[in-house]
Amino acid sequence: GGIITQTPKFLIGQEGQKLTLKCQQNFNHDTMYWYRQDSGKGLRLIYYSITENDLQKGDLSEGYDASREKKSSFSLTVTSAQKNEMAVFLCASSLGGGNYAEQFFGPGTRLTVL
Amino acid sequence: SQLAEENSWALSVHEGESVTVNCSYKTSITALQWYRQKSGKGPAQLILIRSNEREKRNGRLRATLDTSSQSSSLSITATRCEDTAVYFCATHSNNRIFFGDGTQLVVKP
C-alpha cells in the first residue's frame, strides 16, 4: 500500500500572509487533488493535476495557486490568507482521473488565520 | 445548491444495531461513492456503485442506488463503536466528484 503525507499538520498564519501547504504520495498515482473542508461541511475541489506540471482549476481556485513539481508531490499556496478560509485542506491522489477512480486522502492540514 | 447531499445531519445508534444513511443528488451521474471520515483523518472510500448497478455490498455495508429517484442509501449492520464517523456520499459526473456535507454517525456502547 501507499501513503499520502501532508505538511504541516497545523498551519497558523496572519491575515494577508502567503502560506504554502505540501503533499507527497508514494502510490505512483497520476492524478492529485487539493480540497478544502470547512467545519461540518463536505469537500470542495480547489485544484487538481492529472500529471507532472499539469494544473486544472476546481470550483474554489480563486485565492489559491498550486504547483505539481513532480509526480509524487503537489503543493498549494494560499496567496493572501483570510479569516473566512480557516478550514482543513485535504490532499488526495488517484491512479487515473476518470469517473471510477478511487481517491486516497491524506490526513489534512488545519489552517488557522489570526 | 448542492449536487449531492445526505438527508440527515446526525444519527445515533447502539452497538449491534443497524443504521441507514440516505443521500439524494441532483444531476445525471456515472457513479456514486460512499466515504467514511473518522475524526482527524481524511475520508476513505467504502463503496463505489456505478449508475447501472442497483446494489453493492462490502462486508457489513450495503449501498443501493435508485437513479429514477436520484437517491442512494448506505446501510451498516451489526454496528460497532469504531463505525463512529462522518459518512459522505459523493457523485461522479463529467469526470468531477461532488461531495455532500456528510452525516455524523455515533455508535454508542
Side-chain angles (χ1 to χ4, degrees), chain A residues 9 33 35 37 40-45 48 57-59 88 90 97-108 110, chain B residues 2 9 30-31 33 35 37 40-46 48 50-51 88 92-102:
Chain A
K9 191 170 174 63
Y33 310 80
Y35 290 92
Q37 185 175 30
K41 296 290 187 181
L43 283 63
R44 289 186 288 173
L45 183 65
Y48 67 103
K57 290 185 178 182
D59 302 314
V88 175
L90 292 161
N99 281 319
Y100 308 120
E102 178 179 358
Q103 294 187 20
F104 295 84
F105 285 84
R110 182 174 292 276
Chain B
Q2 284 182 260
W9 185 74
T30 52
Q33 289 172 306
Y35 281 86
Q37 185 176 25
K41 307 278 188 184
Q45 182 186 280
L46 299 173
L48 181 147
R50 300 186 183 207
S51 59
F88 294 95
H92 289 242
S93 181
N94 296 325
N95 287 319
R96 295 287 299 276
I97 300 179
F98 301 93
F99 286 82
D101 285 345

Side-chain angles (χ1 to χ4, degrees), chain A residues 27-44:
Chain A
F27 287 99
N28 199 32
H29 283 167
D30 300 304
T31 307
M32 296 185 74
Y33 310 80
W34 275 107
Y35 290 92
R36 175 175 145 179
Q37 185 175 30
D38 292 350
S39 180
K41 296 290 187 181
L43 283 63
R44 289 186 288 173

Side-chain angles (χ1 to χ4, degrees), chain B:
Chain B
S1 63
Q2 284 182 260
L3 296 179
E5 58 183 355
E6 297 77 8
N7 296 350
S8 300
W9 185 74
L11 294 169
S12 177
V13 297
H14 286 97
E15 210 168 17
E17 293 177 340
S18 297
V19 67
T20 297
V21 182
N22 294 300
C23 166
S24 57
Y25 59 90
K26 295 179 180 176
T27 63
S28 172
I29 63 170
T30 52
L32 184 144
Q33 289 172 306
W34 282 97
Y35 281 86
R36 175 172 64 192
Q37 185 176 25
K38 297 196 173 185
S39 181
K41 307 278 188 184
Q45 182 186 280
L46 299 173
I47 292 180
L48 181 147
I49 185 165
R50 300 186 183 207
S51 59
N52 62 351
E53 297 174 315
R54 291 297 166 256
E55 179 182 300
K56 203 83 169 278
R57 291 178 184 266
N58 179 8
R60 295 182 294 113
L61 308 175
R62 173 177 170 261
T64 64
L65 180 65
D66 184 341
T67 52
S68 62
S69 63
Q70 296 191 312
S71 64
S72 175
S73 69
L74 176 71
S75 297
I76 308 173
T77 56
T79 54
R80 304 167 182 166
C81 289
E82 53 262 38
D83 293 329
T84 293
V86 178
Y87 290 79
F88 294 95
C89 66
T91 54
H92 289 242
S93 181
N94 296 325
N95 287 319
R96 295 287 299 276
I97 300 179
F98 301 93
F99 286 82
D101 285 345
T103 292
Q104 171 70 61
L105 172 66
V106 175
V107 181
K108 300 176 185 176

